[in-house]
Amino acid sequence: MIFLLEWGRPIGVGDINKYLKFPHSTLNSLIKRLTKKSILKWEAHQFVELQNEGKIVAEHLMQHHVILDHFFISALKIDAKDAHEEALRVASMISCDIIDKMQGQIKNCQLKPCKIYVDSDIMDKYH
Ligand SMILES: [Zn+2]
Ligand SMILES: [Zn+2]
């Protein structure tokens, strides 16, 4: 969902896979499940897109991600790339209470929010 939020427009399932590298069946069942919950808009052989509700949830997860990123890097001194990957993995699993406490620990952190998913080769296809 964070990926789709960053992407910001409809995208084919195959191209999602190029970035996220989920097993094909995992991605398909995930897309179906999120479509049923009105998080995604998708029909067979059509592009996938976040619905409004999906955007709200994804923006919230993005905040979790950024706080986790900063916490891992500044408080735990974890390497930025590892911090980012770990933060993506656990963003949806950590409660808002814990995230708030982490945020309290990183008040003066100057890091910028990361953007690593979207690079140029696939981007061009959609311009
Ligand atoms: Zn990150
Ligand atoms: Zn939260």
Side-chain angles (χ1 to χ4, degrees):
M1 287 167 66
I2 293 175
F3 167 74
L4 289 174
L5 184 70
E6 268 193 7
W7 185 256
R9 55 204 180 287
I11 183 171
V13 176
D15 284 335
I16 296 178
N17 237 345
K18 272 187 201 160
Y19 281 104
L20 302 185
K21 302 188 171 67
F22 290 164
H24 205 68
S25 56
T26 307
L27 184 62
N28 280 344
S29 65
L30 189 60
I31 288 172
K32 279 183 195 148
R33 214 164 52 211
L34 293 176
T35 303
K36 261 193 207 128
K37 288 184 178 171
S38 305
I39 298 283
L40 298 181
K41 199 166 103 188
W42 173 76
E43 277 170 57
H45 312 296
Q46 303 289 314
F47 282 6
V48 177
E49 194 177 1
L50 278 176
Q51 301 223 36
N52 285 338
E53 182 160 344
K55 278 182 199 155
I56 293 166
V57 176
E59 272 161 19
H60 190 99
L61 287 179
M62 181 75 116
Q63 281 173 18
H64 278 210
H65 173 83
V66 170
I67 291 164
L68 284 164
D69 245 358
H70 290 203
F71 183 80
F72 289 162
I73 295 167
S74 67
L76 304 182
K77 313 290 179 216
I78 293 172
D79 162 85
K81 188 172 172 285
D82 290 346
H84 174 79
E85 281 167 11
E86 200 66 26
L88 277 175
R89 213 167 294 141
V90 300
S92 64
M93 298 173 197
I94 295 190
S95 72
C96 296
D97 280 352
I98 302 287
I99 293 287
D100 282 348
K101 289 192 175 125
M102 285 178 167
Q103 190 168 26
Q105 298 294 313
I106 54 161
K107 269 194 198 96
N108 302 314
C109 184
Q110 300 297 315
L111 292 174
K112 295 253 181 328
C114 49
K115 279 196 181 289
I116 65 140
Y117 273 133
V118 181
D119 62 31
S120 54
D121 60 327
I122 291 186
M123 205 73 152
D124 293 342
K125 209 167 130 184
Y126 287 85
H127 273 306

